[in-house]
Amino acid sequence: MTTTASVPVPVHTSPSVLSALKNPRLLTREALAGLVVALALIPEAISFSIIAGVDPRVGLFSAFVMAVVISIVGGRAAMISGATGAIALVVAPVMNHHGLDYLIATVILGGVFQLVLGGVGAAKLMRFVPRSVMVGFVNALAILIFTAQLPNIIGVSWIVWPMTAAGIAVIVLLPRLTKAIPAPLVAIVLVTVVTVLGSIAIPRVGDEGKLPDSLPTLFVPHVPLTFETLTIIAPYAFAMALVGLLESLMTAKLVDEVTDTGSRKTREALGQGIANICSGFLGGMGGCAMIGQTMINVKASGARTRISTFLAGVFLLVLVVGLGDVVAVIPMAALVAVMVMVSVGTFDWHSVKPSTLRRMPVGETIVMVLTVVVVVATDNLAIGVIVGVIAAMVVFAKRVSRFASVTRSIETHADGTRRAIYTVDGELFFASSNDLTTQFDYDGDPDGIVIDMARSHVWDASTVAALDAIETKYRAHAKTVEIRGMNDASRAFHGRLAGNLGAGH
């Protein structure tokens, strides 16, 4: 006799914070990764502040608070959160029409909504996002990261191009020599040194906006605590909560795949809520996971623990408050080089290879492309993912509906009586059962009809309504119908709804 023993699936885990603190090599890697991310956060936070219509300090403080808080309470180690363009676009109308106090109140309420959504298990819905949507999300993200850099290299001095190219060359070539120091950090330092020593006049971080010179302080929004205020901020706060959770959970799923480790999605949802509440009370504009900076952290710099996320926030505050004059001279070309390579590394090139496209079902490719197109067209990852999921549902429903079939045979008994036997195969739901009524010969069938459902399953009320309609049509021809062979679940469902849906009665 042969026996087999079950082998547990190996669970990959990231280094713990404690193990990283005890290991100088790991700690150095995490610290340097945090520094690179902090440098990349500065121009992004300033840009998103402009989108939201607020002072740059609001976006920078939000990036600091989000990164530090989420490093403690979040569910995905090494993921970076901060002020983002998606959140800025959602809350910008509040700032434009009602001012900063209402904006901060919206951010705080958005955080509360995220706590509620996380508490009721909204994060578990991530399991319904198919791979084709995920690939579209990643590819669209890479395109958005790249296109966001174009204003920094188009319509500027020609010298920006070679400076950017030099930064890209360092990022590509340095890892072949050593990985002890993150290549993006070396690129930023070298390009900055060259431009400063050569007195090269190109756009710098300081040109993006004034950096703060003080620490964030407690900010309590002065808004009336009335129902009218709630009607003003609640729609934006809820939209912010949904967009923030969707982007954060999608990013967490991506990091899971990149690092081959798991994460706690519900904890991440709750953590985002806590981080946004803290951000609001410290004068920040809120935010969510930042895919570009996260990819810098986990792919370009190799970070794996919460230390890198925490230090990214700390370094950001130190750089903009204590070393603002130094940070201001960093050329945008250096940061563009980093983000361009992040874009290249983020894009799933395998998904667009001709050999892959030939093997992939057409429906899967359509869903992936549609997700990319909608995200790029709207500049909103959340809208693209929602459209992609809906498209995937339609493709799935259409595909499954083809597996339902009906075959007819005639059974003749010894006494000469005849019965029509209809055998139904497949899963019956709205997409496959809508044309079920057309597959029966109401006029030509004998007086007795048997519908054999032993190899099918009834999933919804549409199928029950179709069966009711079939029985009604046969009764109109003075013929009797026997439905047999249903499994227990289908029988219970059919018994509860049959004759009570109004169709054909």
Side-chain angles (χ1 to χ4, degrees):
M1 183 178 66
T2 302
T3 59
T4 58
S6 60
V7 179
V9 177
V11 178
H12 300 280
T13 58
S14 297
S16 66
V17 171
L18 188 59
S19 65
L21 290 173
K22 293 179 179 179
N23 187 321
R25 184 181 62 82
L26 288 180
L27 184 58
T28 300
R29 184 186 69 185
E30 298 295 312
L32 293 176
L35 179 58
V36 175
V37 171
L39 291 170
L41 277 171
I42 295 170
E44 295 268 311
I46 294 174
S47 299
F48 298 147
S49 298
I50 295 171
I51 291 174
V54 298
D55 189 271
R57 64 185 287 129
V58 176
L60 289 166
F61 285 163
S62 185
F64 157 68
V65 175
M66 292 291 296
V68 170
V69 174
I70 207 67
S71 71
I72 300 170
V73 301
R76 172 64 258 182
M79 190 168 79
I80 306 296
S81 290
T84 61
I87 298 299
L89 288 170
V90 171
V91 300
V94 181
M95 180 65 190
N96 294 337
H97 295 105
H98 303 284
L100 182 62
D101 287 285
Y102 278 83
L103 170 68
I104 299 302
T106 301
V107 171
I108 295 171
L109 182 59
V112 173
F113 281 146
Q114 287 180 328
L115 287 177
V116 174
L117 290 170
V120 298
K124 296 178 181 177
L125 295 177
M126 281 302 299
R127 71 185 66 179
F128 297 109
V129 178
R131 182 185 179 279
S132 53
V133 176
M134 189 67 189
V135 172
F137 169 83
V138 170
N139 290 346
L141 203 48
I143 294 172
L144 289 182
I145 292 172
F146 179 80
T147 56
Q149 311 313 311
L150 296 181
N152 295 311
I153 56 177
I154 295 178
V156 296
S157 172
W158 66 270
I159 196 66
V160 169
W161 287 82
M163 288 292 102
T164 302
I168 292 174
V170 171
I171 296 171
V172 172
L173 299 176
L174 183 63
R176 300 181 183 181
L177 300 176
T178 178
K179 294 184 179 180
I181 303 176
L185 178 58
V186 176
I188 292 171
V189 172
L190 287 180
V191 175
T192 302
V193 170
V194 170
T195 55
V196 171
L197 295 181
S199 299
I200 301 174
I202 58 175
R204 304 173 188 271
V205 171
D207 300 331
E208 298 294 304
K210 186 178 183 300
L211 300 177
D213 54 9
S214 62
L215 297 174
T217 57
L218 181 64
F219 187 106
V220 178
H222 295 289
V223 296
L225 299 178
T226 62
F227 181 74
E228 181 183 0
T229 300
L230 184 63
T231 59
I232 292 173
I233 67 175
Y236 296 101
F238 191 66
M240 170 191 163
L242 289 178
V243 170
L245 282 186
L246 186 55
E247 287 207 27
S248 298
L249 295 174
M250 289 290 286
T251 304
K253 186 175 180 181
L254 176 60
V255 177
D256 291 350
E257 295 180 1
V258 170
T259 62
D260 196 23
T261 58
S263 60
R264 298 164 63 183
K265 302 298 189 299
T266 297
R267 176 175 171 176
E268 181 62 35
L270 296 171
Q272 289 291 329
I274 295 171
N276 274 305
I277 292 172
C278 293
S279 173
F281 279 120
L282 288 173
M285 57 181 277
C288 61
M290 305 183 73
I291 181 65
Q293 280 66 25
T294 298
M295 289 298 100
I296 292 176
N297 201 38
V298 298
K299 290 193 77 172
S301 303
R304 290 294 182 271
T305 76
R306 298 174 185 273
I307 296 175
S308 59
T309 307
F310 178 82
L311 291 180
V314 173
F315 284 145
L316 172 66
L317 188 65
V318 172
L319 288 170
V320 299
V321 175
L323 300 172
D325 293 338
V326 176
V327 172
V329 303
I330 295 175
M332 290 300 297
L335 298 175
V336 168
V338 173
M339 297 307 292
V340 166
M341 291 311 299
V342 167
S343 171
V344 172
T346 300
F347 196 91
D348 186 349
W349 297 100
H350 181 267
S351 67
V352 295
K353 289 175 62 177
S355 58
T356 302
L357 295 176
R358 282 195 298 269
R359 288 193 299 267
M360 193 67 64
V362 175
E364 300 278 330
T365 302
I366 291 175
V367 170
M368 186 266 285
V369 172
L370 181 63
T371 303
V372 172
V373 170
V374 173
V375 169
V376 173
T378 63
D379 200 25
N380 190 311
L381 293 166
I383 293 176
V385 170
I386 291 172
V387 171
V389 170
I390 293 174
M393 291 168 60
V394 172
V395 170
F396 174 77
K398 184 177 180 181
R399 184 182 303 160
V400 173
S401 67
R402 298 173 182 171
F403 297 135
S405 63
V406 178
T407 56
R408 175 180 181 268
S409 62
I410 299 296
E411 182 180 86
T412 303
H413 295 273
D415 59 1
T417 59
R418 301 165 65 243
R419 290 196 306 177
I421 309 296
Y422 286 90
T423 302
V424 183
D425 276 283
E427 305 301 315
L428 299 177
F429 64 112
F430 63 91
S432 59
S433 62
N434 277 338
D435 62 347
L436 194 63
T437 57
T438 66
Q439 301 188 51
F440 292 79
D441 186 1
Y442 303 102
D443 289 325
D445 280 340
D447 292 341
I449 295 92
V450 174
I451 302 177
D452 187 354
M453 309 270 302
R455 293 187 294 189
S456 63
H457 187 96
V458 177
W459 286 105
D460 63 2
S462 296
T463 303
V464 177
L467 292 173
D468 282 354
I470 292 168
E471 291 187 85
T472 300
K473 288 177 181 290
Y474 275 120
R475 277 200 299 271
H477 288 78
K479 300 176 181 180
T480 59
V481 177
E482 175 192 354
I483 298 177
R484 72 184 184 191
M486 282 188 179
N487 58 42
D488 292 341
S490 296
R491 186 182 302 108
F493 189 80
H494 179 263
R496 187 166 68 251
L497 295 180
N500 297 310
L501 296 174
H505 293 277

